[in-house]
């Protein structure tokens, strides 16, 4: 699928994506991309987040590709069975292990348990070997359960501004690979 043929829904994680984050940069550069705003970025409610993602996908008449980071990856997994058929793919980056990671903020615990159901659309999960929120073997487990292609991004932290990922051109190349698959 060509990028121009779909709408890109960008789904930030806990706290939202700050200025300079690769998701914000992508939204600024892609005229068919929009950041989906959650009602509360800091005290997330699973039902609200899932409903907001579902509603955003239903408000477009074009095919949709989701670009999720961190806690929104878990929200996509939880929402996948109810999302409309126009959702054609998902780019999933740095899923937090909210079940086993001691570093996972308490605010994320309401998203437990993490769905292990296969996603009904193609997806690519990108994870880091030294993400403080998710061991690489757990990221591989999530990708396997969800039927996602998997890419290890090396030692890239949580793949956010704090770990040095502002523009993240490598991510854009991976996203392009997913788009070719869809």
């Amino acid at each position: 699928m060509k990028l121009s043929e779909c709408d890109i829904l960008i789904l930030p994680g806990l706290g939202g994506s700050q200025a300079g984050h690769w998701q914000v940069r992508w939204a600024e550069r892609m005229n068919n991309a929009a950041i989906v705003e959650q009602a509360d970025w800091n005290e997330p409610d699973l039902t609200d987040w899932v409903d907001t993602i579902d509603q955003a996908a239903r408000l477009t008449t074009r095919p949709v590709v989701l670009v999720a980071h961190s806690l929104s990856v878990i929200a996509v997994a939880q929402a996948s069975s109810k999302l409309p058929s126009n959702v054609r793919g998902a780019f999933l980056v740095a899923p937090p292990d909210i079940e086993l990671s001691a570093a996972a903020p308490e605010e994320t615990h309401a998203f437990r348990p993490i769905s292990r159901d296969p996603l009904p659309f193609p997806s690519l999960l990108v994870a880091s070997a030294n993400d403080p929120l998710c061991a690489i073997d757990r990221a591989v487990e999530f990708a396997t359960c969800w039927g996602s292609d998997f890419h290890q991004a090396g030692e890239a932290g949580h793949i956010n501004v704090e770990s040095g990922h502002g523009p993240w051109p490598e991510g854009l190349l991976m996203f392009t690979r997913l788009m070719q698959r869809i």
Side-chain angles (χ1 to χ4, degrees), residues 94-116:
D97 185 353
I98 60 173
E99 294 173 335
L100 299 180
S101 173
E106 188 174 330
E107 296 85 0
T108 65
H109 295 178
F111 285 55
R112 293 175 177 172
I114 297 171
S115 173
R116 301 304 201 279

Side-chain angles (χ1 to χ4, degrees), residues 10 16-29 35 69 159-169:
I10 297 178
S17 290
Q18 65 197 46
H21 191 287
W22 61 269
Q23 285 186 310
V24 172
R25 290 172 182 251
W26 289 14
E28 293 170 349
R29 290 196 172 159
I35 293 177
H69 180 257
I159 312 178
N160 56 10
V161 173
E162 289 79 19
S163 62
H165 293 85
W168 197 37

Side-chain angles (χ1 to χ4, degrees), residues 77 80 88-92 115-126 138-151 177-178 181:
S80 67
R88 301 291 171 79
F91 185 65
L92 309 169
S115 173
R116 301 304 201 279
D117 295 338
L119 301 179
F121 39 75
S123 58
L124 172 62
L125 189 146
V126 180
R138 286 286 283 179
V140 169
E141 176 187 334
F142 299 148
T144 301
C145 291
W146 298 334
S148 302
D149 288 344
F150 180 78
H151 180 87
R177 188 175 98 202
L178 173 66
R181 185 173 160 223

